């Protein structure tokens, strides 16, 4: 599933991004649920504040990492989290 590229995702108000030192990974904490983030997942979610479109998030990641970013992968990741209620 891919996200609408003009959508401006933001982390749900009930969710919190944290570093889990036990798991040694970044996590998205939701009521009664933990989503363990892998790879660039945290970097993507750090940009999800409701002010940027999916395309703008992808472009910002490309600038931050000095290279191309797979736009379809970013859109798919965000779309899955939206379906799961992690993003608005």
């Amino acid at each position: 599933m891919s996200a609408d590229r003009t959508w401006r995702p933001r982390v749900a108000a009930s969710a919190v991004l944290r570093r889990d030192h036990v798991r040694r990974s970044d996590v998205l904490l939701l009521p009664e649920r933990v989503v363990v983030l892998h790879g660039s997942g945290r970097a993507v979610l750090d940009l999800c504040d409701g002010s940027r479109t999916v395309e703008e998030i992808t472009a910002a990641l490309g600038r931050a990492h000095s290279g191309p970013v797979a736009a379809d992968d970013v859109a798919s990741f965000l779309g899955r989290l939206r379906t799961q209620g992690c993003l608005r």
Side-chain angles (χ1 to χ4, degrees):
M1 163 186 265
S2 66
D4 172 6
R5 304 281 167 100
T6 60
W7 169 47
R8 294 178 183 274
R10 66 177 168 81
V11 175
S14 61
V16 177
L17 285 166
R18 292 267 195 258
R19 177 75 182 165
D20 185 325
H21 295 287
V22 173
R23 288 183 177 94
R24 295 184 182 160
S25 61
D26 291 311
V27 294
L28 181 62
L29 302 174
L30 294 115
E32 301 183 22
R33 187 164 163 208
V34 175
V35 177
V36 178
L37 302 172
H38 301 282
S40 60
R42 174 66 187 253
V44 173
L45 291 181
D46 282 340
L47 296 170
C48 292
D49 59 5
S51 69
R52 298 173 189 88
T53 66
V54 173
E55 285 186 346
E56 291 168 337
I57 290 168
T58 302
L61 289 168
R63 288 189 302 275
H65 298 290
S66 302
V69 173
D72 289 339
D73 290 346
V74 172
S76 177
F77 172 68
L78 293 173
R80 284 192 313 272
L81 289 178
R82 183 184 205 180
T83 299
Q84 296 172 15
C86 302
L87 298 173
R88 301 281 178 235

